[in-house]
Amino acid sequence: MTAPTAALGGLEQVVATTTVLVCCGTGGVGKTTSAAAIAYHAAQRGRRAVVVTIDPAKRLADALGLAGGLTNEPARIDGITGPGELWAMMLDTRSTFDALVRRDALDDGQAERILSNPFYRNIAGALSGTQEYMAAEKLYELHADERFDLVVVDTPPTRNALDFLDAPGRLTRFLDHRLYRWLMAPARSGMKVLNVAAQPVLRTIGKIVGGEVLADAIAFFQAFDGMEAGFRRRAGHVMQLLRSAETSYVVVASARHDTVDEAVFFARRLADGGHGVAAVVLNRLQPTFGSGTADEAAAAAAHCDNPELAALWSNLAELRRQAEREAATVARLLEVTPGVPVARVPLRADDVHDLAGIEAIAADLFA
Amino acid sequence: MDLHQFFTTARVLVVAGKGGVGKTTVSAVLARAAADSGLRVLVVELEEKTGIAGLLGGSGVLPYDEVLLAGGLGAGSSGEIRGRTITPSNALAEYLTTHGLKRLSKRLVSTGVIDVVSTAAPGIDDILVLGKLKQLEREVGTDGRLDLVVVDGPAAGHAITFLQSASGLLDAVRSGPINTQARDVLEMLGDPERCQVLLVTLPEATPVNELVETAYALEDRVGVQLGPVVVNAVDHGGALPDPDGVAALPAGDTGAALAAAARFRTERRAMHRAEVHRLGELLPLPQLHLPLVPTAGLDASDVVLLADALARCIKALPA
């Protein structure tokens, strides 16, 4: 008689069935580590998983074989004993944007004019939202890649967790019609030239930022002309994938007010869009000791004659007090994600610097 | 070192560090400690976010125009804390308006072009903010209204590019007001009496590693003076008894809980001590420690206590 298979539930279920998994939350909550651990566990369970990291700490990067720096191409990691595969990469925002330009350009000349333009090179790195957008773009690309059946995405460590969802829309607004209509106007020849009405404004801007910068910017818009529709279409497909049932969102938070606030905003925003949170990960939690309350321990300390024992009771009271406060803070997030699986990862003494460390985090996540 | 002396060493203090280490907390605590020593402090946020106002007796997001948050406490009743936000777009809009270009400013904002202009060349957005900070720095000490500016600065990686933006920009933008701004900002950053950077960390391996990297990068690439390092949330405290040696330890689950809790705390404290020591070995800068506050979110009264702790640390620094 075969043993009944355990019903999958919780985060295990999400990881077994989804095709895209996005880890969201503010910076400093352990998103990258969580993303790596989730991908690791998925691989051990038989999935061909790739994790896209954004800005991993050096030691975590080493653990994932990313010590060489930005790769933008996934590389396979040894050490998976299970039937699946684990791949990892570190997002290179510029290269990803460059590849998009090459793909959408009408010819090599147009691509080169854009890629060598200093204004382009700057916005590819600096314009707010670019990194988030390229992470979404890379997600889309890897989703279509037959080598992988699960894409796990770490999101950039911005303060505002919603930046990731907003990014495709923002970038295309920058490249959008309103700006072009203002800057460029069709001349009789059918080509676009600088809008006469915009010229005084541009001259003044030129005086502020300097002539070369303005010239570069204008050259960029002229070179990009014709491509903005393609970019917008592509961004539309990316957004569709982000909104589809194929994409699962895992909200990562710690027990601090600010990270929980961000996580709550995010969960609400997803709910508004008709897309729920698939799982919540709570990192850096104070462990609990025994089943009593902080007040009980404090009372025991007060009534204890033995100073050493009293010190132990006081310590227990303090740690329990911290755990209780954390539970109250975390409850606000759990309230807006009812019925959603919650994974709790306790505070650790050491940071993750090898695959064994990633495995240990995975053990907590999937306990 | 005397508190007053510490807070008048430089006119602008930029607080920087990895995301999540407590820059906002430390900025609030510095402001509170300075105000309580009788100084008039301006706290500056670089992103539109909540947090610091609440820590100083206000609420919500700090606006672009200065608001009064609190007065100095105790003996520092002549002190006060004001706060504001500075963003690249607002700084540019203000610059244009004060140079007679108000209509242009409105046009840029309404078409969304202002964001484009602010990112047109590497560091323009940062320079706009630094330029505004430089303007505020000029106001320190002159008309008796302002004694210190504390900037809740960018996260570590951005801090480096933020502070480097001035020199990078001189290459990209050869003339015009932005170029002049860049030169002036470089002068300010290079002068320890005008500006210093305080790096913040937690007593944990990854934040300490990142702080050390950031410190060396700032010294090499920006040439800015680093003030003392602030280590946040340090669990100080006397040694706990070894549970195995406590004969009166209860049996069963209760004893097990007491023992596990003691071992956990002892390990955490040992790790904090080790990381603080390692930081000192890797980076020969004075350290200021803020104690761990057992809470899930700090409030204004916690900040007052932390400011007292900071004041004690500062007084222990060599003059």
Side-chain angles (χ1 to χ4, degrees):
Chain A
M1 190 168 93
T2 53
T5 47
L8 283 184
L11 191 54
E12 194 78 69
Q13 172 83 8
V14 177
V15 167
T17 54
T18 195
T19 44
V20 178
L21 192 153
V22 181
C23 291
C24 327
T26 49
V29 295
K31 266 187 304 183
T32 312
T33 310
S34 301
I38 287 171
Y40 172 86
H41 184 85
Q44 292 288 47
R45 286 282 180 276
R47 308 218 59 190
R48 287 172 288 120
V50 60
V51 60
V52 181
T53 64
I54 304 292
D55 192 14
K58 210 162 248 163
R59 287 165 32 111
L60 177 64
D62 286 348
L64 293 171
L66 299 172
L70 297 174
T71 54
N72 228 34
E73 273 306 316
R76 192 158 168 194
I77 294 173
D78 290 325
I80 297 298
T81 51
E85 296 172 13
L86 177 61
W87 298 66
M89 61 167 282
M90 206 187 307
L91 181 75
D92 179 341
T93 307
R94 255 291 295 285
S95 298
T96 309
F97 207 148
D98 288 354
L100 286 182
V101 169
R102 286 205 179 87
R103 182 188 349 237
D104 277 1
L106 301 171
D107 53 49
D108 285 348
Q110 184 184 30
E112 283 317 310
R113 272 199 305 283
I114 292 172
L115 295 178
S116 59
N117 181 298
F119 175 76
Y120 162 76
R121 287 151 94 110
N122 189 54
I123 60 170
L127 188 65
S128 118
T130 316
Q131 195 176 48
E132 287 83 357
Y133 180 70
M134 293 309 147
E137 194 16 84
K138 187 54 76 173
L139 175 170
Y140 183 79
E141 186 190 310
L142 293 174
H143 171 255
D145 190 324
E146 293 190 348
R147 289 177 293 173
F148 315 113
D149 60 13
L150 171 64
V151 182
V152 180
V153 183
D154 176 23
T155 53
T158 53
R159 201 246 152 210
N160 184 350
L162 294 173
D163 284 348
F164 182 72
L165 290 181
D166 288 338
R170 266 217 308 271
L171 191 67
T172 52
R173 272 194 293 282
F174 161 69
L175 298 173
D176 99 6
H177 264 168
R178 205 176 50 157
L179 192 56
Y180 273 88
R181 260 187 274 127
W182 181 69
L183 267 183
M184 313 289 246
R188 229 166 305 158
S189 61
M191 279 184 52
K192 294 267 178 61
V193 295
L194 265 190
N195 188 357
V196 164
Q199 281 174 17
V201 174
L202 292 175
R203 259 202 305 278
T204 312
I205 293 175
K207 286 206 205 106
I208 297 167
V209 304
E212 308 97 44
V213 172
L214 181 68
D216 289 338
I218 291 171
F220 167 78
F221 281 108
Q222 284 174 327
F224 204 80
D225 189 29
M227 282 179 59
E228 73 277 11
F231 257 76
R232 230 171 320 129
R233 236 187 337 265
R234 175 105 177 163
H237 291 146
V238 172
M239 278 169 65
Q240 228 175 3
L241 177 58
L242 289 182
R243 290 182 180 146
S244 77
E246 287 193 76
T247 300
S248 305
Y249 290 91
V250 172
V251 174
V252 184
S254 66
R256 272 171 41 165
H257 277 180
D258 54 354
T259 75
V260 166
D261 284 344
E262 270 308 305
V264 166
F265 281 138
F266 200 87
R268 286 210 176 113
R269 170 65 182 274
L270 281 177
D272 287 347
H275 204 132
V277 170
V280 168
V281 170
L282 301 170
N283 274 332
R284 299 175 58 87
L285 291 180
Q286 185 85 319
T288 49
F289 301 98
S291 52
T293 65
D295 284 341
E296 285 165 8
H303 292 122
C304 188
D305 292 330
N306 181 323
E308 284 192 331
L309 190 56
L312 295 185
W313 276 115
S314 289
N315 176 56
L316 183 59
E318 280 177 32
L319 296 182
R320 280 183 176 165
R321 183 80 60 213
Q322 176 69 2
E324 284 165 11
R325 288 184 178 136
E326 288 185 357
T329 302
V330 154
R332 289 191 288 118
L333 176 55
L334 301 184
E335 268 162 42
V336 297
T337 53
V340 166
V342 179
R344 291 160 197 274
V345 182
L347 208 49
R348 313 190 100 68
D350 204 5
D351 60 351
V352 172
H353 53 265
D354 56 22
L355 215 58
I358 293 177
E359 181 167 31
I361 304 270
D364 285 331
L365 282 173
F366 293 93
Chain B
M1 187 187 297
D2 173 67
L3 267 190
H4 206 264
Q5 183 194 346
F6 178 80
F7 284 119
T8 50
T9 309
R11 299 192 201 122
V12 175
L13 293 177
V14 178
V15 179
K18 175 182 181 349
V21 298
K23 289 183 293 305
T24 304
T25 303
V26 170
S27 301
V29 171
L30 284 166
R32 171 51 72 193
D36 291 349
S37 74
L39 297 172
R40 283 144 309 191
V41 185
L42 174 68
V43 152
V44 175
E45 279 289 305
L46 301 184
E47 290 170 54
E48 279 151 338
K49 56 179 182 173
T50 59
I52 205 164
L55 293 174
L56 293 167
S59 67
V61 177
L62 289 176
Y64 192 66
D65 295 314
E66 271 181 34
V67 287
L68 177 65
L69 290 170
L73 299 173
S77 57
S78 59
E80 69 174 21
I81 307 174
R82 305 179 83 86
R84 67 178 297 176
T85 301
I86 299 176
T87 62
S89 300
N90 284 323
L92 178 57
E94 186 188 313
Y95 174 88
L96 292 173
T97 305
T98 54
H99 285 73
L101 296 167
K102 187 167 186 176
R103 265 196 12 233
L104 171 63
S105 174
K106 290 192 156 155
R107 193 60 190 286
L108 290 180
V109 169
S110 71
T111 55
V113 174
I114 197 154
D115 290 338
V116 177
V117 176
S118 332
T119 45
I124 283 193
D125 52 348
D126 293 334
I127 262 298
L128 288 167
V129 170
L130 284 166
K132 184 67 197 165
L133 285 176
K134 183 207 56 165
Q135 191 187 39
L136 291 171
E137 183 256 340
R138 288 250 165 79
E139 292 171 24
V140 171
T142 49
D143 61 350
R145 255 194 65 241
L146 182 62
D147 299 311
L148 175 67
V149 178
V150 175
V151 182
D152 180 8
H158 185 207
I160 298 169
T161 52
F162 176 69
L163 295 168
Q164 253 190 301
S165 59
S167 55
L169 210 57
L170 286 180
D171 293 328
V173 181
R174 304 277 166 78
S175 60
I178 295 242
N179 176 285
T180 317
Q181 287 276 48
R183 286 183 196 286
D184 290 346
V185 163
L186 268 181
E187 264 181 43
M188 176 183 75
L189 292 176
D191 185 343
E193 283 175 22
R194 296 174 68 187
C195 179
Q196 290 197 17
V197 174
L198 299 185
L199 294 173
V200 180
T201 184
L202 291 171
E204 292 173 15
T206 302
V208 165
N209 290 337
E210 294 205 15
L211 182 146
V212 172
E213 261 176 53
T214 305
Y216 283 112
L218 284 177
E219 280 188 343
D220 288 342
R221 294 194 244 157
V222 184
V224 69
Q225 173 85 14
L226 296 176
V229 167
V230 181
V231 187
N232 193 21
V234 183
D235 190 1
H236 291 138
L240 284 170
D242 179 353
D244 292 337
V246 178
L249 196 72
D253 291 341
T254 311
L258 285 166
R263 276 190 279 273
F264 175 81
R265 195 71 183 273
T266 301
E267 256 178 46
R268 293 290 299 176
R269 283 181 176 159
M271 180 190 76
H272 283 197
R273 263 196 310 277
E275 285 303 320
V276 159
H277 178 79
R278 194 170 71 93
L279 175 63
E281 299 270 285
L282 292 173
L283 198 60
L285 286 173
Q287 295 180 8
L288 298 170
H289 292 181
L290 291 184
L292 174 68
V293 178
T295 177
L298 296 170
D299 60 25
S301 56
D302 293 319
V303 168
V304 171
L305 292 174
L306 288 172
D308 286 340
L310 183 75
R312 282 194 292 278
C313 266
I314 291 171
K315 286 174 186 159
L317 289 175

